[in-house]
Amino acid sequence: MDFYKLSKTVLFQGATPEETEQMLSCLKAGKRKYKKEEMIYRVGEVVSCVGVVLSGSVLIENDDIWGNRSVLERAGEGEIFAETYASIPDQKMLVNVIAAEDTEILFLNVGKMLHLCSNSCIFHNKLIKNLLQVSAQKNLALSRRIFNTSSKSIRGRLLSYLSNQAVLCNSKEFDIPFNRQQLADYLSVDRSALSKELGKMSKEGLIYVKKSHFRLLSVQELFEEES
């Protein structure tokens, strides 16, 4: 286990590698590797552990009874997932968590995390604060998704999403964390229709796109098209 690298993650931020190692022994930590598209958590499960992505990435997805899939979130290396469900006793998962690629996960018992241990770890209070901060950031991410899917048009949803990404990256050129199908699922639109709209925007000289790389070429005209 690379405790130095783990101490730099959002959950253990502010801890030394030695403190991180001590905390893991208190939190009943365990690791597991998953193959691409392997299910990690599924709808209906009751979970007690938060997952920390050590390598790879996971997708948090919602599938309705008609088979429609929506990507709610992606968690990459160093990020966490399932913290809300693990913090509420007997709360069933309403989403699936799936490995987006070959992935290694560190599982931590949230019950142990929320109650001070008998060893009185110096870093324990900071760990709880970090967990609350991550939860707040997740709420903001879900709010952004609501904004990004509020438009009735595919172009409107793309504009909202690309605008947010440009702000977050502080640049008109950026990489997004989704492939084409995942972006379509995130925006709740048909993949072929999404690809067609991206092609139109590219031909109109509004954007440059290559796989997951985007560059906004003419921001003013981009938003004038939607209005």
Side-chain angles (χ1 to χ4, degrees):
M1 178 76 71
D2 188 342
F3 296 109
Y4 175 80
K5 186 176 181 179
L6 192 60
S7 69
K8 301 302 178 182
T9 63
V10 291
L11 190 58
F12 291 97
Q13 186 177 6
T16 65
E18 293 75 21
E19 289 170 335
T20 301
E21 183 177 7
Q22 182 182 355
M23 287 300 302
L24 291 189
S25 64
C26 295
L27 299 175
K28 294 185 176 180
K31 292 191 300 181
R32 182 176 170 183
K33 293 182 178 180
Y34 294 86
K35 295 293 186 180
K36 181 179 180 180
E37 298 184 355
E38 187 175 354
M39 190 76 69
I40 300 171
Y41 284 150
R42 67 178 64 247
V43 170
E45 274 191 81
V46 175
V47 303
S48 59
C49 291
V50 59
V52 182
V53 181
L54 297 178
S55 63
S57 61
V58 304
L59 294 175
I60 292 82
E61 300 181 343
N62 177 53
D63 296 338
D64 64 27
I65 60 175
W66 294 279
N68 299 309
R69 175 175 296 176
S70 295
V71 175
L72 304 179
E73 184 186 356
R74 175 187 179 275
E77 186 174 319
E79 297 180 318
I80 71 173
F81 61 88
E83 70 285 349
T84 300
Y85 290 100
S87 300
I88 304 175
D90 302 320
Q91 178 63 52
K92 293 183 179 180
M93 296 279 292
L94 297 177
V95 296
N96 294 318
V97 182
I98 301 172
E101 55 192 305
D102 289 351
T103 301
E104 185 174 25
I105 305 296
L106 175 70
F107 292 99
L108 306 172
N109 186 283
V110 170
K112 294 286 185 180
M113 190 182 303
L114 297 178
H115 296 86
L116 293 178
C117 63
S118 58
N119 295 331
S120 299
C121 300
I122 297 174
F123 183 68
H124 209 131
N125 285 330
K126 180 63 175 176
L127 183 67
I128 295 173
K129 290 180 180 179
N130 286 348
L131 181 62
L132 290 174
Q133 185 175 13
V134 171
S135 295
Q137 291 171 343
K138 294 289 188 72
N139 285 336
L140 288 176
L142 288 175
S143 295
R144 283 196 295 268
R145 185 177 185 274
I146 293 173
F147 294 145
N148 293 337
T149 56
S150 61
S151 176
K152 294 181 180 180
S153 71
I154 295 176
R155 179 167 294 200
R157 297 186 181 197
L158 279 168
L159 291 177
S160 178
Y161 177 73
L162 295 176
S163 176
N164 283 337
Q165 290 299 305
V167 171
L168 292 173
C169 297
N170 196 31
S171 173
K172 295 179 183 178
E173 188 167 1
F174 47 82
D175 292 313
I176 66 171
F178 300 128
N179 61 32
R180 196 60 53 83
Q181 182 61 62
Q182 292 164 357
L183 179 59
D185 291 340
Y186 176 82
L187 296 177
S188 297
V189 299
D190 179 73
R191 176 181 175 176
S192 61
L194 174 73
S195 296
K196 183 178 179 179
E197 188 61 42
L198 286 171
K200 288 173 60 178
M201 293 168 68
S202 181
K203 287 180 180 179
E204 292 169 15
L206 303 177
I207 64 171
Y208 168 83
V209 54
K210 184 176 182 181
K211 295 185 178 180
S212 297
H213 185 77
F214 284 79
R215 184 165 69 245
L216 308 186
L217 300 177
S218 183
V219 177
Q220 182 177 353
E221 288 83 351
L222 186 66
F223 288 93
E224 284 177 351
E225 284 289 322
E226 176 62 13
S227 61

